[in-house]
Amino acid sequence: MENNVYLPFKSKILKIVPHTDIDYTFRMEFKGDVKPGQFFEVSIPKYGEAPISVSEIGENYVDLTIRKVGKVTDVVHTFFPGEHLFMRGPYGNGFDVNMFKGKELIVAAGGTGLAPVKGVVDYFADHKNEIKDITLVCGFKSPDDILFKNDFKFWEDKINTILTVDNGNENYNGNVGLITEYIKDIEIENVEKANVIVVGPPIMLKFSLQEFLNKGIEEENIWVSYERKMCCGIGKCGHCKIDDTYVCLDGPVFNYTKAMKLVD
């Protein structure tokens, strides 16, 4: 009998890390191959399931950063370490870190868009000798919305890191301003060969991509992640379909030469 691709497996919650009032990272028990940018379908019987990107990959675990924004994710946030969730996956096309080795890489992320690309940043922060240069530029709405604060402290010691918020407060001493303002100032040694990853909300994605194109980055050297209306994860339901492309199968990670043609 063939395996049922819709059948989830049981995964133990090893750890939960709160970032904001509504953003928590769940460390889930998992053994198997997975790439940054891929996703799992997380499910709870009677409530349904939701696609969640992988935010960290470790030995016998994956981290899933989950925002409390709906029926399923609201219930997920009532669980504790030692309890179990159901998962299936990993699904989709992820980021292959081997593609960026020995190259100049700029990663631009907005808000929760940092989660699916965090694995790439983690890898090269730990393997700086495997990349020519890496810069992370990341923006959040406010200081209270910043995710992975402890990781930022680690990254700042290892790689070029630019963290900014749209609006600061009296207790915030960091950068203030839209991410596009800081993209303009990034120095790129070789714009014809540099690689760029951009992940974030649509408006941030649109203007950040334009800034990189204005700087002379080649379209084929740009990568994005589109997490559009994914539902079943295996290309059966058609919710994420754009023309003949299934985001859950052909993406969510796309080369920009493909992504630029995907119009709803």
Side-chain angles (χ1 to χ4, degrees):
M1 182 176 177
E2 294 185 3
N3 291 330
N4 186 342
V5 294
Y6 285 104
L7 190 64
F9 56 87
K10 198 174 183 180
S11 178
K12 184 178 180 180
I13 303 172
L14 302 176
K15 181 181 179 181
I16 300 176
V17 179
H19 302 293
T20 72
D21 291 341
I22 59 172
D23 298 290
Y24 284 46
T25 289
F26 289 72
R27 178 157 294 178
M28 306 303 301
E29 190 174 52
F30 178 75
K31 296 179 182 180
D33 294 330
V34 60
K35 291 181 180 179
Q38 289 188 300
F39 66 96
F40 285 85
E41 293 284 353
V42 176
S43 62
I44 302 173
K46 298 191 298 183
Y47 292 95
E49 62 182 3
I52 306 294
S53 295
V54 173
S55 59
E56 185 172 317
I57 302 163
E59 186 174 353
N60 299 327
Y61 76 83
V62 292
D63 281 359
L64 305 178
T65 301
I66 304 175
R67 171 163 284 187
K68 187 178 179 182
V69 290
K71 183 173 71 172
V72 178
T73 53
D74 283 358
V75 178
V76 168
H77 276 243
T78 67
F79 280 65
F80 293 91
E83 296 184 300
H84 294 79
L85 297 172
F86 287 94
M87 293 165 46
R88 56 185 178 90
Y91 293 131
N93 178 39
F95 295 103
D96 183 356
V97 295
N98 294 310
M99 294 180 54
F100 307 113
K101 290 182 178 180
K103 300 179 180 178
E104 191 175 4
L105 176 64
I106 302 97
V107 178
T112 55
L114 178 57
V117 78
K118 180 176 176 290
V120 176
V121 179
D122 285 337
Y123 181 85
F124 287 116
D126 283 329
H127 302 83
K128 189 68 185 296
N129 62 313
E130 295 185 17
I131 196 164
K132 185 175 182 180
D133 191 45
I134 177 171
T135 297
L136 169 65
V137 54
C138 191
F140 294 92
K141 288 184 179 180
S142 75
D144 292 335
D145 295 305
I146 297 175
L147 307 180
F148 310 115
K149 291 180 180 178
N150 288 333
D151 294 281
F152 271 104
K153 293 177 182 177
F154 174 75
W155 294 334
E156 287 168 354
D157 290 333
K158 298 289 184 178
I159 65 174
N160 306 319
T161 305
I162 303 168
L163 172 63
T164 183
V165 298
D166 296 350
N167 299 287
N169 55 41
E170 64 275 8
N171 298 317
Y172 178 73
N173 297 315
N175 297 316
V176 177
L178 297 177
I179 188 173
T180 48
E181 298 176 29
Y182 293 89
I183 291 174
K184 293 177 183 178
D185 296 331
I186 295 175
E187 294 186 6
I188 302 174
E189 184 177 329
N190 189 333
V191 294
E192 294 181 354
K193 294 184 178 180
N195 281 245
V196 167
I197 297 173
V198 186
V199 188
I203 194 70
M204 170 267 172
L205 199 67
K206 175 182 177 180
F207 288 102
S208 295
L209 286 168
Q210 190 58 57
E211 287 299 334
F212 283 116
L213 293 171
N214 290 344
K215 292 174 80 70
I217 298 295
E218 301 288 343
E219 291 177 349
E220 61 267 26
N221 291 335
I222 300 175
W223 303 85
V224 300
S225 180
Y226 282 178
E227 297 181 2
R228 173 200 181 275
K229 301 179 182 178
M230 294 188 298
C231 189
C232 73
I234 54 176
K236 300 298 183 182
C237 71
H239 282 81
C240 69
K241 190 170 183 283
I242 304 174
D243 295 328
D244 60 349
T245 298
Y246 291 88
V247 174
C248 67
L249 290 179
D250 304 308
V253 174
F254 292 98
N255 184 268
Y256 182 62
T257 56
K258 173 72 173 179
M260 64 191 294
K261 300 173 185 176
L262 299 178
V263 180
D264 279 326

